[in-house]
């Protein structure tokens, strides 16, 4: 028979089949967005293991057409998803998808360059420097955090990577002075509202778990960490011969959207020579609206802010690698100006061309468009907070700062032990309806329902709908 | 004026503008693939900082149309990229892009679900379990590594994350027995050919740098690590009261494509109670062709293989987090069968829907198509190796095992000190031509040129072309 010519559609990047199959996926997704509000936000009756029963035990031997694959996504996968793009998804923190973000991801994946060293794709590495400065300026961050003033930033895959990188940088600075065996003495500080992955990060970098200080927060400070409480904890540790290493301040905590006072904590951290990291993962982006920039005031005292490390030298010295096979087209010693090798700013070697996504989003929507997006969500959350507060069956548990509202059914009488169960039932009833999806939090022992407004398609009417749904379910629950 | 209705094209996921703008990006990329071989693979005359001069200092205030953004990508970004999708890109390890991989990424980004806990998107988490078992079977891995037999796997963002996760797991197993202060005694072992990010990983998890053993490899074993050398190093450490923790075996090293003997190293690791990790990042995928499966023979002795942890209990106990806000729709204690919460299998909390990409690729091309892809590259590399070996000016430095050929201009006489410089000049001349891009390695003090065949569009003719280019440039260099 001889060998047959390769079917063009099986050539990995044949331009014609690439365009045809990719358009089919675009149309599939456009249809999904059109219909996403018709799916239950989260199917209530799923059991682990269902999908495995639907799919074969081994990969197919022969390739199949793209339309068959898409048909199976529609039939087998979509019904089992929790629909994060549903306008009635109010759980966790919603993912802000957008047409421009999608376009940026397509360019990132399609160009498929790996800017881990400058030479491996110069324009990609440089675009990252440009857009992190753009972001820093939009957010009103202090000059000292920008590349243009000796700082600099990197787009990590997640905030958690930023936390781990900066923990490692702080640790290595300390151990370089004290010797590695002093790792047993290093102490990290955060509040009981700090994201739990902070502890995972501290554990990952080898800080002894007995040296994690989780400082209690209270209602009067809106569950923000106070400098006073930090000082008390640090003083105790210093008296015991331990070394304060790292303080994590959060602007917009995951559970309640609480804000730690950056300037006060920064001053406290300086007093003890600690690294201050400001984790503004959730609420930081709100600072593109000037009215929210007060929350990061004092950021010039921080060693790092979310993905924007102030102290690139400490960071890169903890994370740099210079094997021979990365050197050959490097820029050191070539007489050219220094370039940014982003591999040394993150924990992985390989990396995506993330900058182009952020760049396309900033270009396509502009600062005005992004601010409008934030305002739309904050306005809806404000309305919801006001409306909940006006209903005597409910209470708002923590004053809303951004677009997260934490509320619950109010205790009907002092020592109402059943109120947590009622709230649990209410949340379950809402989620089981499939008409909305929310998650909960526990603060001061109280079960609290979280409404996080932030979906790309979420508009005022969806927030109005979820309030009606909540009222109906509350009546049912209270009647039982 | 009142508030104007939001322009549909600025609604983040309006289906009509989503489809229109996404199609424009698809067409842009199809055109790029059609023309990619017309760009210099890597522009030779770039200087750090060029792009910053081309772009404004701040983000635009108002949004711009997608066509303007794409035009700027074409004009400002493309000329500054190193074109990883060029068929003449032979540097590092090429990225295997494909139409199906792109479709899978689009679905991942478009559906935009975050399967960090089962409940956050059940079908996405389950699809990951299914496809990692599909992959394990395709690669001929031992049953014990599959979910279906009590093992299991996770799709990490990079091999390096797998290494860090398993290092942390091994460390925590040891410290649970010995106490945290014993972190000073833990020793990790790898060869001088192991990827440098292994040391970065060991440093990240707090192993003292003085406890990294980099064991020398030699030409007779093809630069593979021998069990004998490992034993000698371990015995020395044990005699000094240290604790052998972790041995990294590589199947297909980055520099030379060398293979460490998995079974022998596995037996040696067992003897000392060490964690054995098999890093098959580069060459592992070749094992979908049965003729390459011998290289991972003995993998049942490993605790983890690349992204396929054998010992999920140790892994999840090192990496799990159970904050209150992730519990509310969890599956423990609900009477339902246990589900996989992938957040505990990786270092970040958040994660992409990676499974759908792998699933689309496996479905679209099938095992047959993927094997053909591997064979195409290996055949071209074989031809290149044979041709280089037949030219008396050149030598192949290490026998080729997969699709990476390591070669150089041969020393013209004993003690030819200039031969490294000649090879350096040859590589520079090839890369400066823009007609191909390769990188180098240094082994036993020798400067070696690497030709890594693996690009999606790379066919035999491109390898023939690069050989002609090399011959021409070699003549020039030798004539000087």
């Amino acid at each position: 028979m001889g060998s047959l010519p390769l079917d063009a559609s099986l050539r990995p990047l044949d331009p014609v089949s690439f365009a045809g199959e990719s358009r089919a996926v675009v149309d599939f997704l456009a249809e999904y967005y059109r219909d996403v509000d018709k799916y239950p936000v989260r199917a209530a009756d799923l059991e682990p293991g269902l999908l495995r029963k639907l799919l074969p035990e081994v990969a197919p031997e022969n390739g199949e057409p793209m339309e068959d694959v898409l048909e199976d996504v529609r039939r087998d996968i979509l019904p089992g998803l929790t629909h994060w793009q549903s306008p009635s998804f109010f759980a966790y923190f919603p993912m802000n998808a957008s047409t421009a973000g999608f376009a940026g991801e397509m360019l990132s994946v399609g160009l498929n360059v790996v800017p881990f060293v400058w030479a491996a794709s110069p324009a990609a590495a440089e675009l990252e420097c440009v857009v992190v400065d753009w972001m820093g300026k939009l957010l009103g961050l202090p000059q000292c955090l920008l590349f243009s003033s000796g700082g600099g930033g990197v787009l990590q895959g997640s905030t958690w990577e930023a936390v781990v990188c900066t923990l490692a940088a702080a640790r290595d600075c300390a151990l370089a002075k004290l010797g590695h065996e002093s790792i047993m003495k290093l102490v990290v500080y955060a509040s009981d509202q700090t994201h739990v992955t902070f502890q995972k990060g501290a554990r990952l970098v080898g800080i002894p778990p007995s040296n994690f200080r989780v400082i209690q927060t209270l209602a009067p400070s809106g569950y923000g960490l106070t400098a006073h409480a930090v000082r008390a904890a640090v003083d105790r540790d210093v008296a015991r011969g331990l070394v304060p290493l790292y303080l994590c301040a959060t602007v917009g905590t995951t559970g309640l959207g609480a804000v730690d006072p950056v300037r006060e904590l920064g001053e406290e951290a300086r007093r003890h020579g600690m690294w201050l990291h400001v984790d503004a993962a959730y609420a930081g982006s709100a600072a593109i609206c000037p009215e929210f920039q007060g929350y990061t005031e004092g950021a010039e005292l921080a060693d790092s802010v979310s993905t924007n490390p102030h102290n690139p030298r400490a960071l890169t010295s903890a994370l740099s690698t210079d094997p021979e096979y990365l050197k050959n087209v490097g820029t050191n010693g070539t007489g050219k100006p220094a370039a940014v090798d982003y591999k040394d700013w993150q924990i992985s070697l390989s990396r995506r061309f993330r900058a182009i996504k952020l760049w396309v989003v900033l270009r396509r929507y502009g600062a005005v468009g992004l601010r409008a997006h934030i305002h739309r969500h904050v306005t809806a959350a404000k309305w919801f907070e006001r409306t909940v507060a006006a209903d005597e069956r409910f209470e708002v548990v923590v004053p809303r700062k951004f677009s997260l509202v934490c509320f619950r059914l109010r205790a009907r009488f002092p020592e109402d032990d059943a109120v947590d169960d009622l709230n649990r039932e209410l949340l379950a009833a809402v989620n089981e309806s499939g008409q909305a999806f929310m998650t909960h939090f526990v603060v001061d022992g109280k079960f609290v329902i979280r409404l996080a407004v932030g979906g790309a398609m979420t508009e005022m009417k969806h927030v109005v709908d979820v309030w009606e749904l909540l009222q109906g379910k509350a009546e049912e629950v209270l009647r039982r």
Side-chain angles (χ1 to χ4, degrees), chain A residues 200-219:
Chain A
K200 182 171 167 176
R203 198 162 98 190
L204 187 79
V205 305
I207 307 296
S210 54
N211 291 2
F212 302 169
R213 299 291 170 258
V214 177
I215 301 172
Q216 199 188 1
T217 58
L218 297 167

Side-chain angles (χ1 to χ4, degrees), chain A residues 117-121 324-332 334 336 341:
Chain A
V117 288
W118 181 85
S121 240
E324 197 57 42
Y325 44 82
L326 299 181
K327 266 184 195 155
N328 58 329
V329 281
T331 49
N332 293 331
T334 61
K336 292 185 183 174
D341 286 343

Side-chain angles (χ1 to χ4, degrees), chain A residues 45-366:
Chain A
D45 55 350
L46 296 175
E47 297 240 334
L50 275 182
L51 186 66
R52 188 175 276 270
K53 286 177 208 143
L54 294 176
L55 300 183
E57 292 201 353
V58 290
E61 197 58 18
N62 292 297
E64 300 167 62
M66 186 60 77
E67 53 263 42
D68 292 8
V69 177
L70 290 175
E71 191 44 46
D72 289 357
V73 175
R74 202 185 318 264
R75 197 190 52 212
D76 297 335
I77 311 277
L78 291 187
L81 293 182
T82 300
H83 298 280
W84 287 62
Q85 296 320 309
S86 166
S88 302
F89 183 99
F90 299 103
Y92 312 114
F93 287 123
M95 294 281 279
N96 279 291
S98 68
T99 296
F102 186 78
E105 286 267 10
M106 287 167 91
L107 288 170
S108 165
V109 172
L111 298 173
N112 211 9
V113 300
V114 187
F116 65 118
V117 288
W118 181 85
S121 240
E126 294 196 14
L127 190 62
E128 189 154 337
C129 302
V130 169
V131 295
V132 295
D133 270 7
W134 280 13
M135 273 309 288
K137 289 172 189 171
L138 273 182
L139 299 176
L141 289 178
Q143 282 289 330
C144 58
L145 292 172
L146 306 179
F147 272 111
S148 47
S149 311
V154 51
L155 301 175
Q156 302 279 7
S158 66
T159 287
W160 190 76
E161 285 175 53
V163 169
V164 168
C165 288
T166 53
L167 274 165
R171 178 200 65 189
D172 286 1
C173 286
L175 297 185
K177 282 184 233 148
L178 304 170
H180 199 94
E181 64 286 356
S182 294
I183 195 168
M184 294 303 297
K185 294 189 190 160
L186 302 180
V187 189
V188 299
Y189 302 83
S191 91
D192 55 4
Q193 300 300 318
T194 305
H195 197 280
V196 69
T197 52
F198 171 70
Q199 290 194 44
K200 182 171 167 176
R203 198 162 98 190
L204 187 79
V205 305
I207 307 296
S210 54
N211 291 2
F212 302 169
R213 299 291 170 258
V214 177
I215 301 172
Q216 199 188 1
T217 58
L218 297 167
S221 66
Y223 301 97
L225 186 57
T226 66
H228 176 78
V230 171
R231 186 182 302 192
V234 169
D235 285 349
R236 259 194 311 275
D237 287 324
V238 171
R240 292 166 57 204
L242 299 175
V243 178
L245 178 71
Y246 187 105
L247 170 61
C248 184
T250 307
V251 175
T253 62
T254 306
L256 303 172
V259 172
D260 296 336
V262 173
R263 175 169 300 284
E264 285 172 43
L265 294 180
E267 285 164 359
E268 199 57 42
R270 290 234 162 151
R271 192 165 293 133
H272 307 287
M274 276 193 285
W275 184 292
L276 176 74
H277 179 72
V278 177
D279 172 3
Y282 160 55
S285 56
I288 58 171
C289 305
E291 68 269 32
F292 291 113
Q293 293 184 354
Y295 291 122
T296 47
E297 199 275 321
E300 71 276 13
L301 297 173
D303 296 277
S304 46
V305 176
S306 272
T307 53
N308 207 332
H310 178 188
N311 189 343
R313 190 146 320 154
L315 186 68
T316 57
S317 103
L319 298 170
S320 79
T321 51
D322 270 309
E324 197 57 42
Y325 44 82
L326 299 181
K327 266 184 195 155
N328 58 329
V329 281
T331 49
N332 293 331
T334 61
K336 292 185 183 174
V340 172
D341 286 343
Y342 266 120
K343 70 179 176 61
D344 298 339
W345 292 62
Q346 63 174 18
I347 53 180
S348 289
L349 176 64
S350 173
R351 62 201 318 272
R352 300 168 77 98
F353 185 6
R354 295 192 190 106
I356 201 163
K357 179 177 183 181
L358 182 54
W359 184 69
V360 172
V361 169
L362 293 172
R363 291 283 307 272
R364 182 72 190 85
Y365 299 130

